[in-house]
Structure formats: C-alpha cells, structure tokens
Amino acid sequence: MSAIELHFDARDPWIIEQKIFDLLKDFVQPSSTLSPATTVKAIDRLLPPNRRAEDQPEGGEEEDAEGFVEYLWIRFHDVARQIPHDSPAQERLAALVRELQQTTSQTPTIPMGSNETERRIWQDMPSFGWTLWEETDTMGPSSEEGRQPWRNINAYIARLTRDGSVNLIWYGIRALAAALEGQMTRAHEHTSRWEVESDFVPGPELDCYLAVAADWISICGPALFGTNPDISGGEGGPMWEGPPGLSSERWQFWKQRLEELSEQEKVEEQTRQLARDTRQKMTEIEQRAKTDT
C-alpha cells in the first residue's frame, strides 16, 4: 500500500512541533509496524515536565505544558485533514488518539486556563475541543480545494466519536442537517428576506455534503441512532421542526430526505446511489438495534 504524503506547512517550524509531526507521520503510514503505545510514550516524553535534555531545543526556553498540549492537538488535526477519509491511516490515527486518551502521563495533571484548573493528562483531552473547532471553523465544501479536507476531518471526528475518545456527536448531527435539512436562502437577489430552500441543489457542494453525511452513518451510525434531545450544538436545518439532538423522528426524517434525494434526476447518479446506500445502512442499523434488545 502506498505511503501517505503529509506536509507540515511552516517556514521555520518549531523543533518540538516538527518532532510531533514526524511521530505522527511515521505512525499513520499503512505499512508502519509501530504500536500506538510506543508512539504515545514518545509523545508523552515531549511534554515539558517529562522532556529529556536531549529533546529540549538548544538555547530555547521551555514552553509551558498547556502550550505544548495545544500545539500537539493542532498537529493531530492538521494531519487528519490530509489523510483520505477511507484510508487505513485514518484508523491508525484514531487508534493513536484512543491510546493517548487512555494513558496517564508521567505528569498526571497540569494547570490549565486562567484559573489554572488541574486537568488530567491525557484522560481529560484538554484543549482538544477548542483546537478542533478552530481547525474546522473556516473549513467546508464551498471551494473545490476545501471539499476533500472537509470530508477527511469529518471522518476523523466520526472515528474518535465512535471509539469513545471524545464525544463530538454534534458534528455528526450538523453533517446530516447540512445535507438533508434544507438551507436558508434569499428570496431573490434584491431582498433581505430569507426563505427555506427545501429542494436539493445539484452540484459539487451537495455531493460533498452528502458524502460527509454518509461517512458519519457508515462510521458512527449506531451512535446517531438514539434518543438524546439535550445535545449542545445539535440544532438542525430549517426543515427540521423538532427538538435539537437525536430522536427516532429525526432519524426517520433523514431517511425520508435520502429517499427524496435518490429520486432527483438532476443530481449526479453517484450521489443518488450514495443516498440509496446510506438509507439502506440506516435500515440495517435499526434492525441490528432491534436484535440487540
């Protein structure tokens, strides 16, 4: 299997960030025999309180542990957006995050934030959420060059949610909502009045939105098939009139919209087939859930 090409875009990279990047790059290769535990130990040794003298940049001041953790996650997220959504390297990266989250550092806690609240390293995954938000906040399918990275990083988030490393199910809800719950559009170009656009608008953006939603169902579908109305960030598109979060009604609404999409003749056949396949996977998830109860 061919190697995964990864790039660290920095003119003058900080040596510790470069070490992190090199560890991740070596680990995620499909041909790599490195174990998650081995790479996690190497990462933990770079945490400032644990760092050996030979790993400390010559002539540089040691950064605080909080800053290191932030840089660490930024590198993880940047690598994730570069790995194709269906590559085995995605699974290796997810396994590495899972191993890290289950590891107790040589320095079990560090002070974080203005209040210097003690956070567990690595079980609490400090700074993971906000660094991911900053990474994804400006991403999306509106440009050709942005579509594959958007799909890649969503596949990464779905895997971490599936594995229980983090609970970011609201990203999945928003992915399904973006694809299937309509959009708000201006009534026409000379008005400020907005109206609900329920029709599927054929084109690359729709294709990408549906592909990302399908990945969430394929990777993390059982977690999305449930009842939890109290998910922060689980608000939906304008066509969904029910409560935010997860419910059987919303699940069935998604299936209905996938069926409608599959019948749109102006939409690319590949996207229509993906809508059919995703709806079928949702039905299979329902059936497995009934068998398990």
Side-chain angles (χ1 to χ4, degrees):
M1 188 170 292
S2 59
I4 300 293
E5 292 189 14
L6 300 173
H7 304 282
F8 181 16
D9 295 327
R11 292 182 180 178
D12 185 21
W14 177 42
I15 190 170
I16 298 299
E17 269 197 294
Q18 185 68 59
K19 287 177 180 287
I20 293 168
F21 175 77
D22 291 342
L23 285 170
L24 297 180
K25 182 179 180 180
D26 290 345
F27 177 80
V28 300
Q29 298 305 323
S31 61
S32 173
T33 59
L34 291 166
S35 71
T38 298
T39 300
V40 163
K41 286 179 181 178
I43 290 172
D44 191 56
R45 283 198 299 265
L46 291 176
L47 187 73
N50 305 339
R51 192 176 298 159
R52 299 172 299 186
E54 57 265 33
D55 288 325
Q56 180 62 27
E58 185 176 351
E61 292 186 7
E62 186 178 277
E63 77 283 7
D64 61 41
E66 182 175 3
F68 169 82
V69 171
E70 293 169 4
Y71 280 117
L72 174 73
W73 293 133
I74 289 168
R75 292 276 63 81
F76 264 88
H77 307 331
D78 184 60
V79 165
R81 69 188 290 175
Q82 297 181 60
I83 300 174
H85 64 281
D86 56 353
S87 169
Q90 279 261 358
E91 289 292 347
R92 286 188 62 79
L93 188 63
L96 185 62
V97 175
R98 181 60 173 157
E99 181 72 23
L100 193 58
Q101 193 270 333
Q102 294 179 329
T103 298
T104 299
S105 172
Q106 297 176 54
T107 303
T109 64
I110 62 171
M112 301 281 291
S114 57
N115 296 328
E116 296 195 340
T117 302
E118 292 291 324
R119 301 292 302 277
R120 296 180 302 166
I121 304 294
W122 297 94
Q123 297 95 321
D124 291 341
M125 302 280 281
S127 297
F128 185 94
W130 75 259
T131 55
L132 181 63
W133 174 254
E134 285 206 341
E135 182 76 21
T136 59
D137 189 37
T138 58
M139 296 178 67
S142 59
S143 67
E144 182 177 358
E145 63 272 15
R147 288 174 194 133
Q148 191 60 53
W150 179 241
R151 188 174 185 182
N152 296 345
I153 204 161
N154 266 277
Y156 161 72
I157 300 167
R159 286 181 169 90
L160 300 188
T161 301
R162 174 202 65 192
D163 295 346
S165 302
V166 290
N167 184 359
L168 294 171
I169 197 70
W170 66 272
Y171 275 91
I173 296 173
R174 290 195 172 186
L176 272 294
L180 303 172
E181 293 182 357
Q183 306 288 336
M184 295 299 295
T185 60
R186 290 187 186 276
H188 55 80
E189 62 179 334
H190 300 299
T191 183
S192 60
R193 181 170 59 86
W194 293 79
E195 60 184 22
V196 177
E197 176 61 75
S198 60
D199 293 338
F200 294 103
V201 180
E205 282 192 48
L206 174 63
D207 299 340
C208 183
Y209 276 128
L210 194 277
V212 170
D215 288 343
W216 268 96
I217 293 297
S218 177
I219 296 167
C220 199
L224 287 160
F225 180 60
T227 302
N228 187 348
D230 299 321
I231 297 175
S232 178
E235 297 79 8
M239 291 183 66
W240 173 244
E241 298 178 350
L246 297 172
S247 64
S248 58
E249 292 81 9
R250 196 172 194 179
W251 180 268
Q252 295 303 323
F253 178 73
W254 290 336
K255 288 182 66 179
Q256 173 192 328
R257 290 286 286 168
L258 285 167
E259 183 174 12
E260 293 171 9
L261 176 54
S262 71
E263 296 170 351
Q264 299 293 311
E265 294 183 358
K266 293 183 179 180
V267 174
E268 289 284 343
E269 175 56 30
Q270 183 177 359
T271 297
R272 294 170 64 191
Q273 186 59 51
L274 184 58
R276 297 183 196 104
D277 294 343
T278 302
R279 191 177 188 279
Q280 178 59 34
K281 286 178 182 176
M282 294 175 75
T283 299
E284 292 169 1
I285 289 169
E286 293 173 17
Q287 293 170 343
R288 285 197 298 270
K290 289 179 181 178
T291 302
D292 293 342
T293 56

